[in-house]
């Protein structure tokens, strides 16, 4: 009788704190032993010369989210999760959405049904588009009790955005319930002002999308949400920090002691606004919000990562095909930028790009890579230590990584249902050859072998990292209505 179902032998294990040579013994989908020369396994995997890393956690992914049309999200959970696993990711956090005027429960039930075909594990942030008093008082407590412990609010985008007053109500409710508010921070009215002026001036090309939302649009809003979080003593996660000034706002908030965390995304580390100016209509492939910025902003983000101000890197995977009636070109090859759907695909590319641009180029070390791609997200979203690390008792979610393999990124390698990748032709060093979710191979030697439906929903209970500090800027706690 073998001691283990599977032993990964002879690899170099890396966590967010340590790098060491060790076998990994797996039983019933869980890591049960670490050490050299482990006993027999029903199966062995020889990882000599390879890194054995915690499977990635991509905590910001738009998979199979319905839109009002005519454009569509290209991925199902079957294709999106295949793509994630090809890039070494074993857990995704996606978005369930409340329809305006609709209930939260309906949005969650519909998204759980879509996610049932996921090959990897998943959890959701709840997008709140209509935080009415009855929703806050009745539905949100139920939602949190069911393990949905993070909300996303948008301060821009027609159809999704809420007012500052509503954002304060959501923050106060999250504080009471022990949930984390994640924020899309851009100044809506300013974007609209720019947009009207650009259209009136006939400046409508894809590159003008970036002109409509310069950094001040983002940095002002990041400053504002940090102030709101400070006043209500509410921890927040600022999504997709795209460059220097907004990262500096996060740094200033952290220096004041606030629980404000910043996320950036692959695209802000390797793309710039110049990509929106590619010949023809190709720039449409790079339309996302916030817009990609400059090389100086990329350098600033790497520096903020080095300083620990930015602690996780996600894909913000939001795939729209380029061609076809539901694609980025749905309104024609001369459509104004306002009609190009926002978002880039990036599930499979995230970890290889970060490994290559970060680790291989010497900007970060291996534990920092692990933290940025898995461990911090696991901690911040209440999945640790089950996910995001290699430890006794953790799920055997592993990426077995060839650190020297050189790969040129192509759409075919991404394995999603999109028809292009914004990273086409980019050369990377380092590639995940095998990805395991709870001990079961989902990708083996670069081929998707995991069944649709292997993934499980991850409910998230209370956890201390997002507890409020109990510190207010004045003598009054406005959330509970009491003096402090
Ligand atoms: N920005 C978002 O906030 N969400 C999806 C796509 C995008 O570009
Ligand atoms: Zn967003
Ligand atoms: Zn997003």
């Amino acid at each position: 009788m073998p001691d283990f179902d599977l032993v990964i032998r002879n690899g170099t294990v890396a966590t967010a704190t340590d790098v060491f040579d060790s076998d990994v013994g797996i039983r019933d989908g869980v890591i049960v032993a670490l050490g050299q020369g482990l006993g027999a396994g029903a199966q062995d995997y020889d990882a000599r010369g390879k890194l054995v890393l915690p499977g990635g956690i991509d905590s910001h992914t738009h998979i199979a989210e319905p839109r009002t049309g005519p454009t569509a999200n290209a991925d199902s959970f079957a294709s999106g999760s295949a793509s994630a696993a090809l890039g070494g990711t074993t857990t995704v956090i996606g978005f369930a959405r409340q329809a305006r005027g609709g209930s939260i429960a309906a949005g969650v039930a519909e998204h759980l049904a879509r996610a049932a075909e996921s090959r990897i594990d998943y959890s959701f942030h709840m997008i709140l588009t209509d935080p009415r008093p009855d929703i806050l008082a009745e539905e949100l407590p139920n939602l949190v009790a069911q393990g949905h412990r993070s909300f996303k609010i948008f301060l821009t985008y027609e159809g999704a955005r809420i007012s500052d007053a509503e954002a304060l109500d959501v923050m106060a409710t999250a504080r009471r319930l022990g949930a984390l508010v994640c924020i899309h921070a851009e100044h809506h009215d300013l974007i609209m002002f720019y947009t009207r002026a650009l259209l009136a001036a006939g400046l409508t090309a894809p590159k003008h999308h970036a002109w409509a939302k310069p950094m001040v649009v983002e940095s002002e809003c990041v400053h504002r949400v940090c102030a709101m979080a400070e006043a209500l003593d509410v921890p927040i996660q600022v999504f997709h920090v795209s460059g220097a000034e907004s990262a500096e706002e996060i740094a200033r908030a952290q220096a004041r002691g606030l629980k404000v965390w910043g996320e950036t995304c692959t695209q802000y580390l390797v793309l710039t606004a110049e990509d929106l100016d590619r010949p023809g209509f190709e720039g449409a492939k790079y339309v996302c919000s916030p817009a990609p910025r400059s090389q100086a902003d990329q350098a600033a983000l790497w520096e903020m990562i080095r300083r620990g101000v930015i602690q996780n890197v996600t894909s913000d995977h939001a795939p729209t095909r380029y061609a076809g009636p539901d694609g980025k070109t749905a309104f024609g090859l001369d459509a104004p930028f306002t009609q190009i759907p926002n978002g880039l695909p990036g599930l499979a590319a995230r970890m290889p790009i970060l490994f290559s641009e970060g680790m291989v180029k010497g900007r970060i070390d291996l534990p920092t890579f692990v933290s940025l791609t898995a461990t911090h997200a696991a901690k911040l979203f209440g999945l640790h230590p089950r996910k995001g690390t290699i430890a006794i008792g953790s799920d055997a979610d592993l990426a077995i990584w060839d650190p020297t393999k050189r790969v040129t990124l192509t759409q075919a390698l991404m394995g999603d249902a999109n028809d292009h990748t914004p990273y086409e032709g980019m050369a990377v060093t380092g590639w995940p050859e095998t990805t395991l979710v709870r001990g079961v191979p989902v990708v083996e030697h670069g081929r998707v072998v995991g069944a649709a439906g292997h993934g499980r929903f991850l409910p998230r209970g209370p956890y201390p990292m997002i507890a409020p500090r109990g510190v207010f800027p004045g003598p009054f706690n406005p959330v509970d209505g009491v003096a402090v």
Side-chain angles (χ1 to χ4, degrees), residues 60 62 152 154 157 183-185 239-240 289-290 316:
H60 186 160
H62 302 270
K152 177 166 188 185
F154 289 90
Y157 286 142
I183 307 178
H184 182 122
F239 272 164
H240 37 54
S289 289
D316 197 359

Side-chain angles (χ1 to χ4, degrees), residues 83 87 266 345-354 409 414 421 423 428 431:
S83 180
T266 324
L347 274 168
R350 178 184 73 117
M351 291 179 73
I353 288 177
L354 200 70
L409 301 184
M414 299 296 103
T421 168
Y423 310 112
V428 295
W431 196 255

Side-chain angles (χ1 to χ4, degrees), residues 60 62 65 67 95 152 154 156-157 184 186 209 213 239-240 267-268 286-291 316-319 328 341-344:
H60 186 160
H62 302 270
E65 274 178 46
R67 299 186 197 156
F95 295 89
K152 177 166 188 185
F154 289 90
T156 185
Y157 286 142
H184 182 122
E186 290 187 293
H209 168 76
K213 36 182 65 191
F239 272 164
H240 37 54
Q267 51 269 36
Y268 303 115
Y286 301 86
V287 167
C288 62
S289 289
D316 197 359
H317 181 81
K328 289 222 175 207
N342 273 264
L344 314 179

